[in-house]
Amino acid sequence: MIKRLALVFFVVLLAGCSPKYDWREVTTAGGHLKAIFPDKPRSESRTTEIEGVNYPFTMDMALVDDQVFAVVYSVLPEGKQDEASSQKAGEALLRSVYMSMNEPAPEPLPAFGEKLTFRKAVGNQNASVYVKVFAGKGVIVQAYAAGQDDTLSEPVADEFLNGMALQ
């Protein structure tokens, strides 16, 4: 009986020590981006129109409780992978972020890699969305962490966003 209780206690102790976030490094965006995720990401793809141009986007996303950690990217087509084209597409992506948040885009636009913070009411809860947009090397990337304010802390969002690096 004592051995059984000791085993149950040990299992409960281990379960209590398991981390909520299981951070892992992932190379994504066709090898153009190094990212960290708090859990194993899953991928979905679709074509999205931004300012009259269709881009094939892929989203790598991990969910932890009600928190979303996502990297949305498009590898630009051949002939559009130069820095000027990447910058133009990245600026369009930045403006689309503001549009999707129902916020006016500032002029000048924030620099690529600058953290954007949006706070929204969702039902009776307040939610935050933290975003970084990157552009260059033939790819455009939007990384974001979103969740209710009582579950997603800004330091956790920063850990995710600061783990992004174009390669």
Side-chain angles (χ1 to χ4, degrees):
M1 179 71 171
I2 292 177
K3 286 183 181 182
R4 184 176 283 203
L5 285 175
L7 179 63
V8 169
F9 176 76
F10 183 69
V11 169
V12 169
L13 183 64
L14 283 178
C17 294
S18 65
K20 182 176 185 177
Y21 302 103
D22 183 12
W23 295 101
R24 62 200 62 215
E25 187 173 304
V26 175
T27 299
T28 187
H32 294 281
L33 181 74
K34 178 187 69 85
I36 62 167
F37 282 91
D39 200 0
K40 183 177 179 181
R42 66 173 203 241
S43 294
E44 297 178 13
S45 296
R46 70 178 190 171
T47 300
T48 302
E49 183 180 322
I50 299 176
E51 295 184 355
V53 178
N54 287 323
Y55 294 95
F57 275 97
T58 299
M59 176 172 60
D60 295 333
M61 174 180 61
L63 300 173
V64 177
D65 297 332
D66 67 343
Q67 304 160 59
V68 178
F69 300 87
V71 173
V72 182
Y73 64 88
S74 180
V75 177
L76 301 177
E78 291 292 325
K80 297 283 186 178
Q81 294 188 350
D82 59 277
E83 286 306 306
S85 296
S86 295
Q87 175 136 355
K88 182 179 177 183
E91 289 170 352
L93 182 58
L94 266 168
R95 285 189 290 275
S96 78
V97 167
Y98 282 95
M99 186 182 308
S100 69
M101 292 288 123
N102 293 317
E103 303 261 346
E107 286 298 331
L109 288 169
F112 294 128
E114 183 178 322
K115 183 174 79 173
L116 312 175
T117 302
F118 301 95
R119 304 224 190 274
K120 300 291 178 187
V122 180
N124 294 335
Q125 298 282 332
N126 290 323
S128 295
V129 180
Y130 304 96
V131 181
K132 283 189 178 183
V133 172
F134 304 91
K137 302 182 181 183
V139 67
I140 55 175
V141 177
Q142 173 188 341
Y144 70 90
Q148 295 177 346
D149 287 348
D150 61 347
T151 59
L152 176 63
S153 70
E154 190 165 356
V156 169
D158 287 343
E159 185 169 357
F160 173 68
L161 294 173
N162 293 336
M164 306 294 147
L166 287 179
Q167 298 185 8

